[in-house]
């Protein structure tokens, strides 16, 4: 068995034969021409033909991979019409008295080096587009048409790189995975793999003698195994089977309501940690975002994010979700998870330290910047704000005073905003005990069962020695959930769960019996929880 | 001559797709359309020139229209930026 490791850009497992993709080696010959006008005419005809082919490729891709994947051919059409590109071709034909193929190839080289010189990763990846349209033109000019291998066998396509015009001509139902030597997470192969939802790995060169060899591609680890052992094959087949059952579930549950047998509608939302997860949430049919962790905006950088930067992110998220609800949790950072520029002191016990709302209340500058960005984005969609780690009414008072301040500032400065629905995380025993009072101050509760269990049971979940004392369905925690939901409903607000318990389908019935209105889970768990909800008859549950 | 300045909020900046749309939009007008970002400028009707400005999220760009239909062009390009970028 041979193992190659690259960078996985789309997760998933594929088992099949490697097919080495050979690009037709185009050698362009420089030829002297006498009649530049005639050569320009030849070029114009080729350009027309290329535009026609790109339109056809666009239509084909639109059907196969949707508008997002097809858009590239539309961009290629615009590139083909670029004034600078055309001027350069014409200039070379006329001034050097050379054939159109050569002029196109030379132009292509110049444009590629110009894009590479920008030093910008995204723009550098676009040089593949220039090469692609140029190769298409040359192919038409020389009359050498592409010979797309169309085996009747499922295959793992391995190539140096694949141009969009090549990938679109592949029979998608025959491609199991892509392995390319070049390319980036922004390349078209990557985008295509994501749209087709098949594994893809970049940065791996498959040796020529491996053509047709049996192989396994594991997109999650970025590994390619050639001539895999039986053991590995069995293991991977198992993963593949799980993935398949998940897809079947998707087909079965997508678009369905999260409705119990006795007709209670449950809000089934997704927990996400960055804007990329938004796609996953939508793919898995989330009805909204129940917990958007805003920490990623603050981490991995040297200074605080500005209001404008935050607004841009929140705007993208609310607009990306259409009119669906997006609940954004304000900064939940502490000594255990922080960026250096926060300058937090080291703490003996960060879980009980200066974190989340405590940090925001002691550093109102940070809190106000985030709130301003959130309130501004709230004017653009269905956004709610959620405050973490609440333990007292005094904190509530301080939050409300700061909210009032930023509302006055925004009004005074004539900046458009909307006061969003605001709720809190219930994740401390203190919040549970005063949840009757808290419920009168907010529009919703979201119970964070991970922290609530840790604080209630006084068990550090990071400490494996304590595992034998930790009960997933601790009665103490379940009773707290019951109490919180009761107090929420008394005040006329809804209560949901965004911790691990929300995705645990062995406890769903109990939670629904308590009257939980919302479950927020990681995107991949949405559909199995929906299935469970649809099988539950709340009226017929007898709790032990 | 008409001009306006816009602050890019799309997190990908002026990448290929919006650049393609912009070029198409600018191409609808007879007037010249120039895009300025920092000390660089580009003809907004030429996609490679637009892309090579490497406009990022948070950058501000100035759009200058000049010609008979400059008013129309400025109005609809402004709407285009607000909607797409």
């Amino acid at each position: 068995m041979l193992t190659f490791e690259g960078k996985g850009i789309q997760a998933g497992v594929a088992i099949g034969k490697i097919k080495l993709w050979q690009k037709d080696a185009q050698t362009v010959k420089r030829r002297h021409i006498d009649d530049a006008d005639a050569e320009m005419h030849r070029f114009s005809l080729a350009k027309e033909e290329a535009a026609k082919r790109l339109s056809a490729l666009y239509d084909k891709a639109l059907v196969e991979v949707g508008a997002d994947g097809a858009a590239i051919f539309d961009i290629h059409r615009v590139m083909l019409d670029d004034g600078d590109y055309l001027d350069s071709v014409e200039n070379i034909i006329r001034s050097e008295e050379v054939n159109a193929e050569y002029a196109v190839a030379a132009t292509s080289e110049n444009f590629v080096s110009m894009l590479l010189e920008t030093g910008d990763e995204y723009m550098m990846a676009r040089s593949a587009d220039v090469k692609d349209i140029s190769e298409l033109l040359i192919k038409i000019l020389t009359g050498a048409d592409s010979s797309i291998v169309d085996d009747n066998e499922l295959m793992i396509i391995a190539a140096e790189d694949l141009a969009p015009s090549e990938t679109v001509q592949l029979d998608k139902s025959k491609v199991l995975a892509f392995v390319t030597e070049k390319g980036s997470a922004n390349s078209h192969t990557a985008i295509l793999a994501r749209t087709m939802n098949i594994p893809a790995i970049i940065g791996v060169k498959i040796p020529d003698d491996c053509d047709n060899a049996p192989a396994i591609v594991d997109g999650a680890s970025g590994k390619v195994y050639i001539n895999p052992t039986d053991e590995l094959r069995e293991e991977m087949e198992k993963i593949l089977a799980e993935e398949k059952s998940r897809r079947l579930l998707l087909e079965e549950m997508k678009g369905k309501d999260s409705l119990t047998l006795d007709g209670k509608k449950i809000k089934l939302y997704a927990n996400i940690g960055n804007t990329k997860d938004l796609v996953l949430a939508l793919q898995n049919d989330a009805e909204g975002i129940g917990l958007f962790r805003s920490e990623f905006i603050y981490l991995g950088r040297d200074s605080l994010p500005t209001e404008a930067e935050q607004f841009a992110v929140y705007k993208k998220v609310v607009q990306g979700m259409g009119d669906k609800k997006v609940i954004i949790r304000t900064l939940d950072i502490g000594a255990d998870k922080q960026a250096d520029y926060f300058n937090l002191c080291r703490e003996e016990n960060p879980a009980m330290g200066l974190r989340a709302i405590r940090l925001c209340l002691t550093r109102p500058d940070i809190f106000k910047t985030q709130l301003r960005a959130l309130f501004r984005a709230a004017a653009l969609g269905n956004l709610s704000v959620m405050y973490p780690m609440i333990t007292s009414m005094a904190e509530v008072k301080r939050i409300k005073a700061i909210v009032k301040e930023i509302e006055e500032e925004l009004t005074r400065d004539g900046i458009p905003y909307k006061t969003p629905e605001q709720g809190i995380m219930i994740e401390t025993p203190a919040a549970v005990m005063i949840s009757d009072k808290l419920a009168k101050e907010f529009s919703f509760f979201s119970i964070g069962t991970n922290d609530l269990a840790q604080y209630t049971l006084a068990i550090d979940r990071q400490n494996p020695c304590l595992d034998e004392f930790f009960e997933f369905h601790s009665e103490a925690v379940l009773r707290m959930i019951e109490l919180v939901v009761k107090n929420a409903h008394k005040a006329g607000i809804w209560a949901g769960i965004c911790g691990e318990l929300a995705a645990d389908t062995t406890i769903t019935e109990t939670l629904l019996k308590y009257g939980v209105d919302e479950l927020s889970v990681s995107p991949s768990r949405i559909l199995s929880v929906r299935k469970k909800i649809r099988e539950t008859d709340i009226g017929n549950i007898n709790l032990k | 001559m008409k001009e306006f300045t816009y602050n890019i909020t799309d997190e990908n900046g002026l990448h290929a797709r919006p650049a393609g749309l912009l070029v198409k939009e600018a191409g609808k007008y007879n007037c010249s359309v120039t895009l300025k970002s920092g000390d660089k400028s580009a003809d907004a009707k030429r996609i490679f020139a637009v892309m090579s400005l490497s406009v990022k999220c948070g950058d501000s760009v100035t759009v200058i229209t000049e010609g008979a239909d400059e008013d129309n062009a400025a109005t609809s390009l402004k709407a285009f930026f607000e909607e797409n970028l």
Side-chain angles (χ1 to χ4, degrees), chain A residues 195-240:
Chain A
T195 336
M196 290 168 64
N197 203 4
I198 60 170
I201 293 174
I202 56 174
V204 170
K205 179 170 169 40
I206 303 290
D208 288 345
D209 60 1
C210 293
D211 199 12
N212 285 318
I216 295 177
V217 172
D218 181 7
S221 67
K223 283 184 177 151
V224 185
Y225 307 93
I226 310 276
N227 297 316
T229 59
D230 289 348
E231 241 176 359
L232 184 73
R233 178 184 283 266
E234 266 169 43
E235 188 190 318
M236 289 295 175
E237 272 169 357
K238 224 159 95 193
I239 297 176
L240 208 54

Side-chain angles (χ1 to χ4, degrees), chain A residues 425-442:
Chain A
M425 296 275 298
I426 300 285
E427 51 191 336
T428 64
V432 174
M433 297 317 292
I434 58 168
S435 51
D436 54 340
K437 283 185 160 181
L438 291 168
K440 293 183 183 129
E441 303 293 331
F442 292 98

Side-chain angles (χ1 to χ4, degrees), chain A residues 300-373:
Chain A
R301 49 186 295 147
D302 312 322
S303 61
L304 281 166
T306 63
E307 182 181 321
E309 281 174 87
Q310 296 199 45
F311 174 70
V313 175
Y314 303 144
K315 175 180 159 190
K316 196 176 169 90
V317 176
V318 283
Q319 292 185 338
M321 288 303 286
D323 45 15
K324 291 178 176 167
K325 175 161 295 296
V326 177
I327 301 175
I328 300 183
R329 181 179 69 189
T330 59
L331 182 62
D332 184 1
I333 247 170
D336 52 341
K337 180 176 69 179
Q338 65 152 317
D340 289 342
Y341 63 84
F342 278 100
N343 293 316
L344 296 178
C345 306
R346 213 188 66 83
E347 292 186 47
E348 283 300 322
N349 196 350
M352 296 193 178
L354 183 64
R355 49 171 288 215
I357 202 70
R358 301 166 182 181
L359 177 68
C360 288
L361 290 173
T362 43
R363 305 272 292 271
D365 51 321
I366 298 177
F367 196 31
K368 280 170 77 173
T369 304
Q370 183 170 34
L371 287 176
R372 282 175 60 108

Side-chain angles (χ1 to χ4, degrees), chain A residues 115-116 118 120-130 161 183-188, chain B residues 51:
Chain A
L115 286 165
L116 293 181
T118 60
D120 176 295
E121 202 178 320
Y122 181 81
M123 291 304 158
M124 287 162 82
R126 299 285 73 73
S127 59
D129 298 320
V130 181
D161 200 1
S184 67
N186 283 328
S187 68
H188 299 298
Chain B
M51 283 185 1

Side-chain angles (χ1 to χ4, degrees), chain A residues 74 82 84 120 122 315, chain B residues 9 15-16 24 46-47 56:
Chain A
D74 199 33
D82 181 72
D84 292 324
D120 176 295
Y122 181 81
K315 175 180 159 190
Chain B
T9 58
H15 60 131
K24 278 192 191 172
R46 300 189 165 200
I47 188 167
K56 294 272 169 299

Side-chain angles (χ1 to χ4, degrees), chain A residues 130-379:
Chain A
V130 181
K131 284 189 201 157
D132 199 18
I133 60 164
S134 305
E135 275 165 22
L136 180 64
L137 281 168
I138 293 169
K139 223 178 261 176
I140 294 168
L141 283 165
T142 53
D145 239 322
S146 55
S147 51
I148 304 296
V149 198
D150 207 349
D151 262 330
N152 245 340
E153 205 178 356
L154 294 172
M155 51 199 173
I156 295 166
I157 300 282
E160 186 189 352
D161 200 1
L162 286 165
S165 61
E166 288 173 320
T167 47
V168 79
Q169 289 174 69
L170 288 166
D171 181 349
K172 305 293 176 302
S173 60
K174 304 275 161 43
V175 182
L176 292 169
F178 290 116
V179 179
T180 63
E181 187 186 338
K182 292 182 184 159
S184 67
N186 283 328
S187 68
H188 299 298
T189 312
I191 295 165
L192 187 72
R194 279 196 286 270
T195 336
M196 290 168 64
N197 203 4
I198 60 170
I201 293 174
I202 56 174
V204 170
K205 179 170 169 40
I206 303 290
D208 288 345
D209 60 1
C210 293
D211 199 12
N212 285 318
I216 295 177
V217 172
D218 181 7
S221 67
K223 283 184 177 151
V224 185
Y225 307 93
I226 310 276
N227 297 316
T229 59
D230 289 348
E231 241 176 359
L232 184 73
R233 178 184 283 266
E234 266 169 43
E235 188 190 318
M236 289 295 175
E237 272 169 357
K238 224 159 95 193
I239 297 176
L240 208 54
E242 280 165 16
E243 176 61 18
K244 199 175 158 200
S245 63
R246 203 189 67 80
R247 280 191 201 185
L248 286 175
L249 186 69
L250 188 75
E251 272 164 39
E252 189 191 338
M253 285 295 143
K254 210 167 173 172
K256 297 259 173 77
D257 279 332
S258 301
L259 204 64
T260 65
L261 288 174
D262 45 353
K264 175 162 179 181
K265 172 88 183 72
I266 306 297
K267 302 180 219 283
L268 184 53
Y269 294 165
N271 295 341
I272 63 171
N274 57 53
T275 45
K276 285 190 194 89
D277 292 349
L278 207 57
V279 182
L280 279 179
L282 288 170
Q283 272 172 1
N284 286 286
D285 212 15
E287 293 155 27
I289 303 296
L291 168 62
F292 185 99
R293 304 180 181 93
S294 59
E295 291 76 64
F296 81 96
I297 304 173
Y298 296 82
L299 299 172
R301 49 186 295 147
D302 312 322
S303 61
L304 281 166
T306 63
E307 182 181 321
E309 281 174 87
Q310 296 199 45
F311 174 70
V313 175
Y314 303 144
K315 175 180 159 190
K316 196 176 169 90
V317 176
V318 283
Q319 292 185 338
M321 288 303 286
D323 45 15
K324 291 178 176 167
K325 175 161 295 296
V326 177
I327 301 175
I328 300 183
R329 181 179 69 189
T330 59
L331 182 62
D332 184 1
I333 247 170
D336 52 341
K337 180 176 69 179
Q338 65 152 317
D340 289 342
Y341 63 84
F342 278 100
N343 293 316
L344 296 178
C345 306
R346 213 188 66 83
E347 292 186 47
E348 283 300 322
N349 196 350
M352 296 193 178
L354 183 64
R355 49 171 288 215
I357 202 70
R358 301 166 182 181
L359 177 68
C360 288
L361 290 173
T362 43
R363 305 272 292 271
D365 51 321
I366 298 177
F367 196 31
K368 280 170 77 173
T369 304
Q370 183 170 34
L371 287 176
R372 282 175 60 108
L374 286 168
F375 278 46
R376 285 173 56 198

Side-chain angles (χ1 to χ4, degrees), chain B residues 3-74:
Chain B
E3 70 168 74
F4 66 88
T5 299
Y6 181 83
N7 220 340
I8 305 288
T9 58
D10 188 294
E11 76 175 35
N12 294 316
L14 192 49
H15 60 131
R17 191 178 202 174
L21 293 174
L22 171 64
V23 168
K24 278 192 191 172
E25 185 64 31
K28 291 180 189 165
Y29 303 93
N30 292 319
C31 63
S32 72
V33 182
T34 309
L35 197 62
K36 273 191 164 167
S37 166
D39 54 357
K40 292 187 289 185
S41 68
D43 179 348
K45 296 181 183 182
R46 300 189 165 200
I47 188 167
F48 291 115
V50 170
M51 283 185 1
S52 62
L53 291 178
S54 292
V55 174
K56 294 272 169 299
C57 179
D59 288 358
S60 98
V61 293
T62 303
V63 179
I64 302 158
T65 58
E66 196 163 11
D69 51 357
E70 61 187 33
D71 288 338
N72 269 345

